[in-house]
Amino acid sequence: MPNLKDLKTRIASVKSTRKITSAMKMVAASKLRRAQELAESSRVYSESLGFILSSLAGGSKDNSDLPEILVGRQNPKVALLIINSSDRGLCGGFNSSLFRSAVNWIKEKKSQGIEVKLMPIGKKASAFYKRSDIEVLDNFEDLNTNDRQIEVSEQVKNKITDLFESKSIDEVFILYNKFISAIAQEPTYKSLIPLEQATGDDNASEGSNSSFEFEPDKNELLEYLIPRNFLTQVYGSILESSAAEHAARMTSMDNATRNAGDMIEGLTMTYNRTRQAVITKELIEIISGAEAV
């Protein structure tokens, strides 16, 4: 039979934990509103910029007159995967689902004879791939503020450009959790090199087949837009990952709070039954002693 003192201590401990998880849920919910606004507003800009670049690239009959950093190299040998994870835990399966997806993607690339290198963003990804035999070119952590997110995006953009120009990599992809809703996040891949062709509605499709006139010429525009596209897409993926993280943590803490409540009810019932059993036993002993006298 459980000890009454131990049960009382356990109930107090779970109640304390419930207060913490409830507070964390409220904090995550408040942060989610701002992060969701940023993520959704960035989508319009990143999709529009991607469509413009697709339109510029689509105006050519072949890729011979387009820069390699836009269309990628033929027969790529090395692919860079940028993985956006969280800096902190307590967000359910947010990171584990991301890493499982990355494992399958890396296996597929290796089966094609392509070497994979990594660039983790977030402490969880950095810690996870420290134990891996895959080469990590750089890592970025502590993305707690929007200023820091912009700074990291700029650093990643510069790193991508330098690595490609030095022929250390041939392809670049981003993996992040896309924010779908407060209860749903989806591991998503985005290709930076080669450029991911924009897909949209019928108007977008018609626009991609239209004939455009450029001022200045197309190559000058591409030289200006390609680095900004890298910055925009990386920054957008960080914002999506941030919103998805807060949503995952809010849901996880809500579930933890509910589970703590259920546990408190069960422990309280056990405590009351145990206490009643102790009282009954003492009464029996008193009655038995009185009868003996």
Side-chain angles (χ1 to χ4, degrees), residues 110 130 194 251 254 270:
K110 287 185 175 180
K130 276 182 181 178
T251 302
D254 181 54
T270 302

Side-chain angles (χ1 to χ4, degrees), residues 15-28:
K15 284 182 177 179
S16 177
T17 301
R18 184 173 62 174
K19 288 181 181 178
I20 294 171
T21 57
S22 179
M24 291 185 67
K25 172 193 168 185
M26 298 300 293
V27 171

